[in-house]
Amino acid sequence: MMNKSALQIARATYKPKVPRTLEGIVKIQEGNPTESVSDKEVIKKLFPHTYGMPVITFVEGTERASYPAVNVGVILSGGQAPGGHNVIAGLFDGIKSMNPQSRLYGFILGPGGLINHKYMELTAGIIDEYRNTGGFDIIGSGRDKLENEDQFNKGLEILKKLNIKALVIIGGDDSNTNACILAEYYARIGAGVQVIGCPKTIDGDLKNEMIETSFGFDTACKVYSEVIGNIQRDCNSARKYWHFIKLMGRSASHIALECALQVQPNVCIISEEVEAKNRSLDDIINYIAGVVAKRAENGNNFGTVLIPEGLIEFIPAIKRLINELNDFLANHDSEFRMIKKSEQRSYIIRKLSEENAELYASLPEAVARQLTLDRDPHGNVQVSLIETEKLLAEMVGNRLAEWAEEGKYAGKFATQVHFFGYEGRCAAPSNYDADYCYSLGFTAAGLIASGKTGYMSSVRNTTAPASEWIAGGVPITMMMNMERRHGEMKPVIQKALVKLDGAPFKEFATHKDIWAINTDYVYPGPIQYFGPTEVCDQPTRTLQIEQAKK
Ligand code: FBP
């Protein structure tokens, strides 16, 4: 028996709120045939069994159907996101409500569990231990890619052995892309296994018209915003530090944007804007240093700067430098590794083109080293490991020192750096995520009962009270387009980056100059699990702003 905190004990009894339609008798309503977001003909050809299916909406029905018992498998794929346990609980309750003889099996440590036949049955006792808790530890998660037919066939062996007729894959855009490929494959060979996806990722980049948010984004952003708010109050109290805070999120800046909308920092950089406006690193440094200098004129030698983790990839000049470094190191790696550490930097500078050499030489020692040392299995720099927060803090400091010498700046500049990511990924889900995830899982059970495959569980209208949420399913092929991956064109779910013409970014852009100079901080405080609905059930600012305009 695990030791539990008072909050854990109380929270275990929370009953997630669900759409009204999921509480009673459910009827399926089918929409018109669908098409993919682009590259329609190619995707149609690649997915002949799962292309063009209608969007499914669950509506209130009148006749109770009887369902045969079904064995279902579930996989947690990729990075942790708050609410995963409630997806599994919703799925469990959903299949049991249709037939109490149904059984749920969890594959251990992600897609690898399916391929390597590592599984456990999830019984009522186990599920109850994990209701409304954070983390993915009920079965663990993993980043193995389920992408080729050998793996699909290996998986099918264990599915057949356990008589599993449906598999639910809880993951981000890549895992759901692979869920769709698996659904198509099993449909083609007549395996008799349905595949359903669920939208997970704190990054918030798996979203579109039918999937309004990925689960976990709400809770993770609330955790980061709480801590940034605390930092803002700290720096507004001592008035001596500038805090440079990097936030997870991969390429997309949704997390940084959402946190900015919640806390009103002095600076938040949005990678997508940097790329669209062709900003250089120097432009970013000048912008931040300009804000620091302006606030110093008003006697405010403190502030906060939010930085999305993928920023470096979006600075066009650095992207070019990384590309040249990748090519160079791919061909001269052993020669490079023979060079003494202390001489590696000047060696690289000699080998690069003039433009890239100049940029590389201007980077702080640690970052220059990270760019040459850290490669993923495909030979790419792992940009998330680059300490952008330190890079910017150091370079802004250097710029201010230059300005001080020129008599243009007379403030004080002391920094603290932070990276927030892991702190929020396994937090106990907010009410929003607890409700949303449970509903996604229950909906997945409904899609299984109606014989669907190649669908993603979808719950919409989530800024309304939960009873009015709209549950159903969206064909995954509908979200796909063709993209170049590792040198080949592949069908993938279109990644959602921050839209510069979208309402949340526009809201930020309207206020950012005022927030830069004033001290207009908002202190969101910790997630509240018990209390008035306006405190406990608020969706993200992003969703509220997006849905207010409809
Ligand atoms: P997913 O895309 O799998 O949901 O991962 C989210 C994330 O937290 C990213 O924000 C971050 O870059 C990455 O995972 C970190 O990966 P890891 O957990 O392997 O260190």
Side-chain angles (χ1 to χ4, degrees):
M1 190 54 187
M2 286 188 268
N3 289 330
K4 288 187 185 156
S5 68
L7 178 65
Q8 275 179 291
I9 294 164
R11 189 65 178 161
T13 62
Y14 176 76
K15 293 265 167 287
K17 301 182 277 303
V18 295
R20 191 178 305 117
T21 46
L22 295 184
E23 280 177 333
I25 299 169
V26 176
K27 201 174 98 188
I28 296 280
Q29 203 172 64
E30 297 204 347
N32 295 325
T34 56
E35 295 202 286
S36 57
V37 279
S38 67
D39 306 300
K40 299 182 172 69
E41 286 313 312
V42 194
I43 292 178
K44 188 173 178 180
K45 248 198 192 137
L46 289 170
F47 295 90
H49 299 85
T50 49
Y51 188 87
M53 301 183 299
V55 169
I56 301 289
T57 308
F58 293 159
V59 293
E60 286 172 64
T62 45
E63 275 169 54
R64 189 170 295 280
S66 73
Y67 297 97
V70 61
N71 288 358
V72 173
V74 63
I75 295 176
L76 290 164
S77 181
Q80 289 74 258
H85 290 158
N86 269 26
V87 179
I88 296 180
L91 175 63
F92 179 85
D93 292 350
I95 61 171
K96 291 280 186 189
S97 73
M98 284 172 235
N99 188 317
Q101 303 308 317
S102 295
R103 296 168 88 162
L104 183 63
Y105 292 90
F107 288 97
I108 310 292
L109 287 173
L114 178 72
I115 304 164
N116 302 318
H117 300 186
K118 299 269 186 289
Y119 64 90
M120 66 190 276
E121 183 171 356
L122 296 168
T123 55
I126 298 174
I127 295 285
D128 287 348
E129 281 293 305
Y130 288 91
R131 287 182 195 269
N132 309 311
T133 58
F136 278 6
D137 43 321
I138 185 169
I139 47 176
S141 184
R143 291 200 182 276
D144 289 301
K145 281 193 171 156
L146 202 51
E147 57 185 349
N148 61 54
E149 291 187 3
D150 283 351
Q151 296 171 327
F152 300 167
N153 291 331
K154 270 307 286 292
L156 190 54
E157 284 170 20
I158 188 69
L159 295 174
K160 283 196 164 149
K161 187 169 159 213
L162 298 171
N163 194 27
I164 289 176
K165 298 288 184 204
L167 186 62
V168 176
I169 299 183
I170 302 171
D173 52 342
D174 285 337
S175 306
N176 274 285
T177 293
N178 292 337
C180 190
I181 296 170
L182 185 66
E184 175 67 28
Y185 179 74
Y186 284 168
R188 171 158 69 80
I189 66 168
V193 179
Q194 300 161 246
V195 183
I196 302 293
C198 263
K200 170 237 71 165
T201 176
I202 60 159
D203 300 345
D205 56 3
L206 171 48
K207 69 174 194 174
N208 51 54
E209 224 182 297
M210 305 305 294
I211 303 294
E212 30 190 66
T213 189
S214 53
F215 79 75
F217 177 70
D218 183 273
T219 310
C221 289
K222 283 177 175 150
V223 172
Y224 307 142
S225 297
E226 178 208 345
V227 183
I228 299 166
N230 295 348
I231 286 175
Q232 293 192 147
R233 203 141 219 172
D234 191 278
C235 79
N236 194 16
S237 302
R239 307 197 179 172
K240 61 176 184 182
Y241 290 128
W242 271 88
H243 291 265
F244 284 69
I245 304 163
K246 183 172 78 168
L247 292 156
M248 263 190 184
R250 291 192 192 277
S251 310
S253 308
H254 296 292
I255 292 181
L257 177 58
E258 170 63 24
C259 292
L261 291 167
Q262 287 196 32
V263 305
Q264 305 187 176
N266 300 109
V267 174
C268 175
I269 307 290
I270 300 296
S271 306
E272 292 83 344
E273 186 187 20
V274 166
E275 184 171 49
K277 296 192 172 156
N278 199 16
R279 298 267 193 262
S280 63
L281 184 57
D282 212 46
D283 294 333
I284 297 170
I285 301 303
N286 280 337
Y287 170 67
I288 303 173
V291 173
V292 173
K294 193 92 200 125
R295 282 178 62 79
E297 279 171 22
N298 302 333
N300 295 324
N301 289 303
F302 64 93
T304 46
V305 179
L306 307 190
I307 306 152
E309 121 183 311
L311 173 65
I312 205 121
E313 273 182 311
F314 281 76
I315 300 172
I318 298 209
K319 203 175 198 172
R320 289 195 291 274
L321 166 64
I322 289 174
N323 286 342
E324 191 179 348
L325 275 173
N326 280 349
D327 286 352
F328 177 77
L329 292 173
N331 296 320
H332 301 88
D333 193 57
S334 40
E335 180 186 322
F336 173 68
R337 304 289 160 213
M338 302 290 286
I339 310 273
K340 272 211 301 212
K341 272 216 164 93
S342 56
E343 286 164 22
Q344 283 180 343
R345 186 175 165 116
S346 49
Y347 166 84
I348 288 281
I349 292 170
R350 285 198 304 278
K351 300 290 178 179
L352 292 174
S353 63
E354 204 181 318
E355 184 204 352
N356 286 336
E358 202 180 312
L359 175 58
Y360 186 79
S362 73
L363 295 174
E365 181 70 36
V367 173
R369 182 166 297 285
Q370 281 155 8
L371 284 178
T372 56
L373 290 185
D374 303 310
R375 289 290 182 277
D376 74 7
H378 307 284
N380 298 313
V381 176
Q382 295 185 58
V383 283
S384 66
L385 297 180
I386 296 172
E387 294 166 319
T388 331
E389 67 284 20
K390 287 191 186 154
L391 170 77
L392 295 188
E394 191 175 326
M395 292 183 88
V396 167
N398 294 342
R399 182 60 34 91
L400 290 168
E402 286 163 24
W403 289 356
E405 269 191 21
E406 294 163 19
K408 291 199 262 177
Y409 166 73
K412 288 188 186 135
F413 184 67
T415 59
Q416 297 289 344
V417 292
H418 316 263
F419 171 34
F420 296 145
Y422 300 101
E423 296 81 349
R425 298 198 317 183
C426 284
S430 60
N431 279 1
Y432 177 91
D433 271 327
D435 300 346
Y436 182 56
C437 289
Y438 186 85
S439 302
L440 284 172
F442 208 95
T443 299
L447 292 169
I448 293 168
S450 47
K452 303 297 172 194
T453 191
Y455 275 80
M456 192 184 290
S457 178
S458 150
V459 175
R460 292 180 285 129
N461 197 32
T462 62
T463 52
S467 59
E468 293 163 33
W469 291 2
I470 302 165
V474 189
I476 303 179
T477 50
M478 193 182 166
M479 305 169 200
M480 287 191 158
N481 67 166
M482 298 297 290
E483 284 176 25
R484 184 165 291 282
R485 296 282 166 96
H486 311 305
E488 264 180 72
M489 291 307 280
K490 293 256 168 81
V492 290
I493 293 177
Q494 199 170 52
K495 201 183 261 307
L497 299 178
V498 168
K499 288 191 181 137
L500 301 185
D501 58 356
F505 177 77
K506 282 187 180 164
E507 171 76 12
F508 164 71
T510 313
H511 295 99
K512 71 171 193 170
D513 292 342
I514 299 167
W515 295 346
I517 304 309
N518 294 352
T519 302
D520 283 345
Y521 302 152
V522 174
Y523 311 113
I527 295 175
Q528 298 296 307
Y529 299 97
F530 301 98
T533 192
E534 68 275 15
V535 179
C536 302
D537 295 335
Q538 289 291 317
T540 55
R541 294 282 300 129
T542 303
L543 262 182
Q544 290 179 38
I545 295 167
E546 278 172 352
Q547 299 201 350
K549 75 183 166 57
K550 282 183 185 160

